Amino acid sequence: MSVPPDLPPPYGSSQPPFQVPPQPQPETKKSKKWPWIAGAVVALLVVAGILGGRDKDDAKTTSAAPTSSASSQTTTSAVTSRASVSPIVSSPAAAPAPPSSKVAAPTTTTYQAPAPVVTPTVAPAPARPQVSSGQRNAVRSAQQYIDMTAFSRSGLIEQLEYEGFSTEDATYAVDNLNADWNKQAALSAEQYLEMTSFSRSGLIEQLEYEGFTSAQAEYGANAVY
């Protein structure tokens, strides 16, 4: 049995039916509008760029104004500060002295011997004379006599010599008593008047007889009269 060729499979042939290729459609007028749209967009961009550039120039001019004023203030303050501070001018370095063609004459040094050191000579202290036992005893005996009664210098030396001391020892003892002989004359005149009566001249003569000097005797007599 034959199958008609226009039946679909599985009865028909496995090959697809013959298709007619599509025909190119004519170009519409819509595609021709793109160049005009692109040109309008470019024109808008150019206008926007011009307006944006003007705005930027205005902004730069506005922002530059305070900057210039600030810079002028800074310059004014800098000038003022420079005027107030006096510049430090360093002194020019001294020019080196030109070499002298003259040759200095050699100096002659004269040696001076040092002055001799003078050591002051200190005189040694005089040696203290040694006191003998006889002198020590004579001084002790003379002090005991003068404590009991009044004596003149010469009368006390005689008394010590009478006791057995040498003239040197007796004199040494009497001179080392440091006795006030005027006072001893007054004490002796008072003792005489206690024993007996004397005139003033007679008392002076008695004191001179005891070994007192004339001045010491007058002093003693005046002390009791």
Side-chain angles (χ1 to χ4, degrees):
M1 184 178 71
S2 61
V3 179
D6 54 351
L7 293 175
Y11 299 104
S13 176
S14 60
Q15 294 179 356
F18 179 76
Q19 295 180 0
V20 180
Q23 293 294 327
Q25 297 179 0
E27 187 177 354
T28 61
K29 294 181 179 181
K30 187 177 182 180
S31 60
K32 293 181 180 180
K33 293 180 179 180
W34 286 105
W36 294 100
I37 295 172
V41 171
V42 171
L44 290 174
L45 291 176
V46 171
V47 173
I50 294 173
L51 294 176
R54 289 181 179 178
D55 294 338
K56 289 181 179 180
D57 292 338
D58 295 339
K60 288 182 180 179
T61 305
T62 305
S63 61
T67 305
S68 61
S69 62
S71 62
S72 63
Q73 291 179 0
T74 305
T75 305
T76 305
S77 62
V79 170
T80 306
S81 62
R82 289 179 183 177
S84 62
V85 179
S86 59
I88 300 175
V89 180
S90 59
S91 58
S100 177
S101 60
K102 296 181 180 180
V103 179
T107 57
T108 304
T109 304
T110 304
Y111 175 76
Q112 294 182 356
V117 179
V118 179
T119 304
T121 304
V122 179
R128 187 175 181 180
Q130 302 226 347
V131 180
S132 63
S133 59
Q135 291 173 343
R136 284 196 299 271
N137 291 326
V139 170
R140 187 180 305 167
S141 180
Q143 188 66 47
Q144 290 174 355
Y145 275 118
I146 209 167
D147 288 341
M148 290 186 298
T149 185
F151 280 93
S152 64
R153 179 179 179 276
S154 60
L156 188 54
I157 290 173
E158 290 176 0
Q159 182 64 33
L160 293 176
E161 288 174 348
Y162 180 78
E163 292 291 332
F165 293 103
S166 64
T167 305
E168 291 80 7
D169 293 344
T171 304
Y172 175 83
V174 171
D175 291 339
N176 280 274
L177 289 177
N178 296 322
D180 186 359
W181 302 115
N182 289 329
K183 183 178 179 180
Q184 291 297 317
L187 291 175
S188 181
E190 186 177 357
Q191 289 173 359
Y192 277 117
L193 289 179
E194 287 177 357
M195 291 185 295
T196 185
S197 57
F198 280 94
S199 63
R200 181 176 178 278
S201 58
L203 187 55
I204 291 174
E205 291 177 359
Q206 183 63 35
L207 293 175
E208 289 175 351
Y209 179 79
E210 291 290 333
F212 292 103
T213 62
S214 299
Q216 292 171 357
E218 289 182 3
Y219 179 87
N222 293 332
V224 294
Y225 260 90

